[in-house]
Amino acid sequence: MGERQGLDATDIRILSAVQKHGQISKTKLAELVNLSPTPCWARLTRLKEAGYIRGYHADIALDRIADFTQVIVTIALTHHRRMDFDRFEAYVRDVDEITQCIATGGGTDYVMTVFVPSLSVFRGVMDDLLSADINIDRYVTYIATRQVKAGHPDLAKLAARTTR
């Protein structure tokens, strides 16, 4: 999945704190990971430079800003050649309404999350997908009715399980 060389328990604590709190002060981060500020900041800088931190993001309360419809879509392609996957993935990357797309194994090839202001806009997004030359064989849509849980994995637990 990714390069984990050189990560120790303190690095994992730093990454966990940044994942949970985003951009925080040097003092607060050092307090959270139980390390003095200067070496803590040096470690954070090293982790950033090594590519372990891709960016910082705000958790926006979308429902307070606009009405929207969230749709989960599973996609199966007609053919399973590398060029078919590449073409589909390139197309999806350019569709703003598709906020997440993961490739899967099994009976479906992709699972996508789509945010739109209405079902009619979603229908237009799907019409465009189906009209594009990206070899969609079938798709199934699931309208999200409410979010039950959202978050990030516990980095310490993941790291501990991979070393067993």
Side-chain angles (χ1 to χ4, degrees):
M1 276 287 170
E3 186 71 28
R4 288 190 308 272
Q5 254 178 332
L7 290 184
D8 61 16
T10 302
D11 291 330
I12 297 296
R13 287 195 311 271
I14 290 170
L15 291 171
S16 294
V18 171
Q19 180 180 19
K20 184 175 183 180
H21 301 286
Q23 291 181 307
I24 58 177
S25 72
K26 182 190 300 190
T27 306
K28 180 68 174 172
L29 179 61
E31 179 185 310
L32 288 170
V33 301
N34 197 26
L35 192 65
S36 61
T38 300
C40 182
W41 210 250
R43 281 178 176 253
L44 178 62
T45 301
R46 179 179 52 81
L47 291 167
K48 286 179 184 177
E49 289 171 355
Y52 289 101
I53 299 170
R54 292 187 183 140
Y56 296 91
H57 310 279
D59 184 10
I60 305 297
L62 291 177
D63 58 331
R64 296 191 61 188
I65 297 169
D67 287 330
F68 64 89
T69 299
Q70 180 182 357
V71 184
I72 309 302
V73 183
T74 61
I75 302 276
L77 299 183
T78 306
H79 305 290
H80 294 99
R81 300 171 300 212
R82 175 79 272 158
M83 66 181 211
D84 296 308
F85 294 125
D86 290 347
R87 187 178 314 130
F88 177 83
E89 292 169 16
Y91 185 89
V92 164
R93 283 186 192 99
D94 289 335
V95 179
D96 290 339
E97 293 85 356
I98 300 171
T99 60
Q100 185 176 41
C101 181
I102 54 176
T104 59
T108 192
D109 297 313
Y110 296 95
V111 178
M112 302 185 315
T113 303
V114 182
F115 281 88
V116 289
S118 66
L119 285 176
S120 63
V121 173
F122 172 72
R123 189 172 49 248
V125 169
M126 287 309 300
D127 287 347
D128 290 347
L129 273 173
L130 295 171
S131 298
D133 184 24
I134 53 176
N135 294 313
I136 294 176
D137 180 43
R138 65 185 184 286
Y139 71 97
V140 178
T141 60
Y142 302 91
I143 306 298
T145 58
R146 64 188 166 96
Q147 185 162 324
V148 176
K149 183 177 180 178
H152 301 284
D154 183 316
L155 295 179
K157 285 183 180 178
L158 282 178
R161 288 195 172 101
T162 59
T163 58
R164 288 184 190 167

